[in-house]
Amino acid sequence: MTALLPLFLLIVGFGALILGANWLVNGATSVGVRANMSPLIIGLTIVAFGTSLPEMIVNVFSCIKGSPGLAIGNIIGSNTMNILLILGVSSMIYPIDVSRVSIRRDIPAGFIATLAITLMANDYFTRTSGTIDWIEGLVLLLMGAGYLWLTFKKNSDQLEFSEHSEDSEYSKDSSWSKTIFQLVLGIIGLYIGGELVSNNAQKLALSWGMSESTVGLTVVATATSLPELITSIVAALKKNSAIAIGNVLGSNIMNIFMVLGVSALITPLPFDTKMNQHLLILFAANAIMLTTVFTGKGRKISRFEGLILTLGYVAFMLFSLYN
């Protein structure tokens, strides 16, 4: 019974995070339209970062409040869920086409990001054994900046076309009063959600006899990935596979380079060596995703392959909880 109130407050916190992120993205998108930003730029910056905001806020609050153990578990769990569950469910709804650009740039970037935190967490670069410190956090942020630069450079030829797209969802404008209202609500929602999640996740970890990293890997990661899940499902229903897979790949890269980078700048992030098993699973998830692209006809993830990915996530959750 003692865990019921923290669990309820945790759920309320997740709701506030998701609503806050949605409001903030909508408001920021409206500002971007007024600033004459192209739909591509808005999508690559505001929307991509917006779906990673719950992970960012939870990690920042947890680090400030002395619970950094949630941070790495949250990111590993979120990224695994993005590939296995979100991409799996989306491709079961509608087979996903994977562009050559994603195969050459985004999927390798996901492998590199996962390899980077694996080496950092296992003390391959510094003597701070079992932690990711501020120097490594800065390196992650610089790698993220490099990825964004490469993304903008490769997509420069598409900007002019995107700016004149009349049917873009970002071409819809709104009044300044509505924009400011959304921005204010978004900030308030993220703050309240971050407070509730960071406080009550720690309480649940203690009451359930679980480590902070395990709670981050399962409960927190599942909830903070809901924006990506909703975005990809809606994209799949609209048969827009570019958004579905772009959302997953972009969010995974942002989670490691930006979210973990910022978290490590706040405080050293402790790493339980048992988490290496989950990092291997994340590597395997990336490898399976890449394999599904090249099997069958064309560069597609079919419905059957989506089912395999989804079942893989069920196995991942059972393994995590059993451990």
Side-chain angles (χ1 to χ4, degrees):
M1 294 295 290
T2 56
L4 288 180
L5 181 59
L7 181 60
F8 172 75
L9 293 176
L10 186 72
I11 295 172
V12 173
F14 286 140
L17 278 175
I18 294 168
L19 289 174
N22 184 60
W23 287 327
L24 190 64
V25 168
N26 288 340
T29 299
S30 179
V31 173
V33 170
R34 287 189 172 88
N36 293 321
M37 293 172 64
S38 72
L40 178 61
I41 296 295
I42 293 172
L44 287 171
T45 55
I46 297 173
V47 176
F49 184 72
T51 56
S52 291
L53 269 177
E55 286 92 343
M56 174 71 83
I57 297 299
V58 168
N59 277 19
V60 168
F61 272 77
S62 298
C63 290
I64 292 174
K65 293 178 178 293
S67 300
L70 284 171
I72 297 180
N74 180 25
I75 298 306
I76 295 175
S78 293
N79 283 16
T80 306
M81 177 178 174
N82 284 348
I83 295 175
L84 296 179
L85 181 65
I86 297 177
L87 204 56
V89 170
S90 300
S91 56
M92 282 195 293
I93 294 173
Y94 186 77
I96 293 178
D97 286 306
V98 184
S99 68
R100 292 183 182 274
V101 173
S102 290
I103 294 173
R104 294 175 180 175
R105 182 193 63 204
D106 303 323
I107 294 179
F111 273 105
I112 292 171
T114 305
L115 179 62
I117 61 168
T118 300
L119 296 177
M120 289 176 180
N122 287 279
D123 191 27
Y124 278 86
F125 300 117
T126 67
R127 295 182 179 179
T128 53
S129 180
T131 62
I132 297 178
D133 62 17
W134 71 270
I135 297 176
E136 292 164 325
L138 184 60
V139 171
L140 289 175
L141 289 174
L142 291 175
M143 292 175 72
Y147 168 76
L148 289 176
W149 175 82
L150 182 62
T151 300
F152 284 119
K153 182 180 179 182
K154 292 295 183 181
N155 285 282
S156 59
D157 294 337
Q158 303 174 22
L159 292 178
E160 184 176 352
F161 170 79
S162 299
E163 287 173 356
H164 297 89
S165 176
E166 296 180 357
D167 59 350
S168 169
E169 60 181 305
Y170 304 120
S171 63
K172 300 176 183 178
D173 209 348
S174 59
S175 65
W176 269 114
S177 59
K178 182 178 179 180
T179 298
I180 295 173
F181 184 64
Q182 288 175 325
L183 290 172
V184 171
L185 279 181
I187 293 171
I188 293 174
L190 288 171
Y191 178 81
I192 293 175
E195 283 276 3
L196 290 174
V197 171
S198 60
N199 286 337
N200 293 284
Q202 186 180 32
K203 293 178 182 178
L204 283 178
L206 294 173
S207 63
W208 289 345
M210 299 168 64
S211 66
E212 288 180 353
S213 59
T214 303
V215 173
L217 191 71
T218 54
V219 180
V220 177
T222 300
T224 55
S225 291
L226 287 178
E228 288 95 334
L229 178 62
I230 295 170
T231 300
S232 291
I233 287 178
V234 171
L237 289 172
K238 293 181 179 180
K239 300 182 179 180
N240 195 332
S241 56
I243 289 179
I245 192 166
N247 175 45
V248 166
L249 297 176
S251 177
N252 278 12
I253 295 166
M254 189 76 71
N255 282 346
I256 293 177
F257 287 149
M258 299 301 182
V259 178
L260 268 187
V262 169
S263 302
L265 287 181
I266 298 173
T267 185
L269 305 178
F271 180 76
D272 185 349
T273 55
K274 292 181 180 178
M275 295 289 287
N276 279 322
Q277 299 172 338
H278 298 91
L279 281 171
L280 286 175
I281 293 174
L282 181 55
F283 271 115
N286 278 280
I288 293 171
M289 173 182 63
L290 185 60
T291 301
T292 59
V293 171
F294 291 106
T295 56
K297 297 180 179 179
R299 299 184 303 275
K300 286 187 176 182
I301 302 177
S302 67
R303 287 187 172 92
F304 177 72
E305 291 166 334
L307 176 61
I308 293 175
L309 290 173
T310 304
L311 292 176
Y313 182 72
V314 174
F316 165 77
M317 287 295 289
L318 292 175
F319 173 77
S320 300
L321 293 172
Y322 175 78
N323 273 353

